């Protein structure tokens, strides 16, 4: 049975490898659409982290004696597709599009947190300590990224989004202007 658990972990690693590469491309596109400086910096930082995460998955696979192969993470494909679709629905840059980007990214992060949580547990159960430690490092980064996205939303994006009525494209209700912008 142990060999089957091993097999399961190697399949998980192939999946994670595909997931990270897809997430990377998604973030590289999203960062160009982000407005809030803190959000852009956060995405840039996670792009760098993701490059290191891809290398960690490669190292983990090497330790397990497997190659990435052509496995495609279908779940990440769906998440990325949806995020990109939502982003494309908003052609105007600004706080609302920033919120859409965060929403897509947090879904992606949560998927990765779930996957790496399982994978760390599998690696530990198999006594693959180095693999477990590589994946734990990534898991921690994903959790931090999720927290950071929440923080950036609260501090930098949401105040703008709620105060943006008079800058809308004809959707502002009743022409209330001024005053509220600094309210946050
Ligand atoms: Fe990641």
């Amino acid at each position: 049975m142990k060999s089957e658990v091993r097999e399961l972990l190697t399949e998980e690693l192939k999946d994670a490898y595909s997931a990270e590469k897809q997430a990377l491309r998604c973030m590289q596109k999203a960062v160009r659409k982000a407005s809030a400086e803190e959000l852009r910096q956060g995405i840039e930082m996670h792009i760098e982290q993701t490059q290191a995460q891809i290398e960690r998955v490669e190292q983990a696979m090497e330790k397990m004696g497997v190659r990435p192969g052509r496995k495609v993470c279908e779940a990440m494909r769906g998440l990325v597709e949806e995020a990109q679709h939502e982003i494309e629905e908003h052609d105007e840059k600004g706080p609302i599009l920033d919120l859409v980007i965060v929403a897509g990214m947090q879904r992606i992060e949560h998927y990765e947190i779930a996957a790496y949580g399982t994978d760390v547990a599998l690696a530990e159960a198999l006594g693959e300590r180095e693999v477990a430690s590589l994946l734990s490092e990534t898991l921690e980064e994903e959790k931090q990224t999720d927290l950071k996205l929440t923080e950036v939303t609260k501090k930098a994006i949401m105040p703008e989004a709620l105060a943006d009525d008079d800058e809308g494209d004809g959707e502002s209700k009743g022409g209330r202007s001024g005053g509220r912008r600094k309210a946050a």
Side-chain angles (χ1 to χ4, degrees):
M1 285 303 269
K2 193 174 172 185
S3 67
E4 285 172 61
V5 179
R6 253 190 101 78
E7 171 80 25
L8 186 59
L9 177 56
T10 60
E11 287 305 312
E12 287 278 331
L13 291 174
K14 292 178 191 175
D15 198 75
Y17 186 70
S18 160
E20 291 293 2
K21 291 208 297 191
Q22 293 184 64
L24 178 64
R25 284 195 297 273
C26 181
M27 286 187 288
Q28 285 166 336
K29 284 186 191 169
V31 74
R32 289 185 237 133
K33 305 266 183 154
S35 301
E37 184 56 30
E38 293 93 330
L39 178 60
R40 282 213 308 272
Q41 282 172 7
I43 300 173
E44 289 290 1
M45 189 177 124
H46 198 52
I47 285 174
E48 275 177 41
Q49 282 177 336
T50 301
Q51 280 154 348
Q53 290 171 355
I54 291 170
E55 282 170 27
R56 276 186 217 123
V57 179
E58 283 170 343
Q59 288 169 33
M61 282 192 291
E62 214 175 293
K63 292 197 189 305
M64 304 280 304
V66 286
R67 299 169 63 81
R70 289 186 171 189
K71 186 168 178 140
V72 173
C73 175
E74 297 293 346
M76 184 60 82
R77 182 147 83 180
L79 290 167
V80 165
E81 223 172 80
E82 185 175 289
Q84 270 163 7
H85 179 76
E86 295 294 328
I87 289 169
E88 278 157 25
E89 296 261 288
H90 295 77
D91 35 40
E92 199 177 319
K93 277 193 179 187
I96 302 302
L97 180 53
D98 282 358
L99 291 177
V100 169
I101 292 170
V102 169
M105 275 193 73
Q106 284 193 302
R107 279 176 172 78
I108 288 172
E109 292 313 315
H110 278 249
Y111 173 75
E112 291 182 320
I113 290 165
Y116 282 114
T118 301
D119 301 347
V120 169
L122 288 175
E124 279 171 356
L126 290 166
E128 291 284 350
R129 284 201 198 146
E130 282 176 84
V131 174
S133 127
L134 285 163
L135 301 178
S136 298
E137 206 177 328
T138 296
L139 175 60
E140 200 42 47
E141 287 175 354
E142 311 291 25
K143 287 181 181 171
Q144 289 305 319
T145 300
D146 178 50
L147 291 175
K148 189 161 180 175
L149 286 165
T150 297
E151 199 184 296
V152 166
T153 300
K154 274 194 201 161
K155 283 191 187 156
I157 306 174
M158 200 55 88
E160 283 280 321
L162 294 175
D164 213 26
D165 277 9
D166 49 331
E167 281 192 9
D169 45 356
E171 283 197 15
S172 70
K173 300 189 177 75
R176 274 199 63 175
S177 60
R180 293 180 62 191
R181 300 215 73 226
K182 297 282 174 200

